[in-house]
Amino acid sequence: MKILVTSFGPFGAFDNNPSERLMNDLRACSLEDRLGVQIQWSVLPVSYSSVDEFLDTLDSEFDLVIHMGVASNESVLRFEIIG
């Protein structure tokens, strides 16, 4: 199974984006070894053009894509199934 996990880097008031911190914590858990999967980890700059460029560089298909971000106006964890 091939998984793509992305998060966003710094933006606005977030010098240290919580989504990037969470992704780095997950990465440190050695999920590839534990789950027997292949994971590509990527931190994306916060801009439409950067995300478009990143998508254009992908040369693989993934079985699962997980993108993490932060909504500064939210007070609870929220899962979106369509972005």
Side-chain angles (χ1 to χ4, degrees), residues 18-47:
S19 69
E20 183 178 1
R21 289 195 327 250
L22 176 60
M23 189 186 79
N24 289 334
D25 287 349
L26 287 171
R27 191 175 192 174
C29 292
S30 302
L31 295 175
E32 291 94 338
D33 296 334
R34 289 177 159 189
L35 301 176
V37 297
Q38 180 183 356
I39 303 176
Q40 178 178 328
W41 306 90
S42 297
V43 177
L44 306 177
V46 182
S47 76

Side-chain angles (χ1 to χ4, degrees), residues 7-12 14 17 19 43-51 70:
S7 64
F8 282 122
F11 79 101
F14 294 95
N17 194 314
S19 69
V43 177
L44 306 177
V46 182
S47 76
Y48 288 112
S49 61
S50 294
V51 172
V70 64

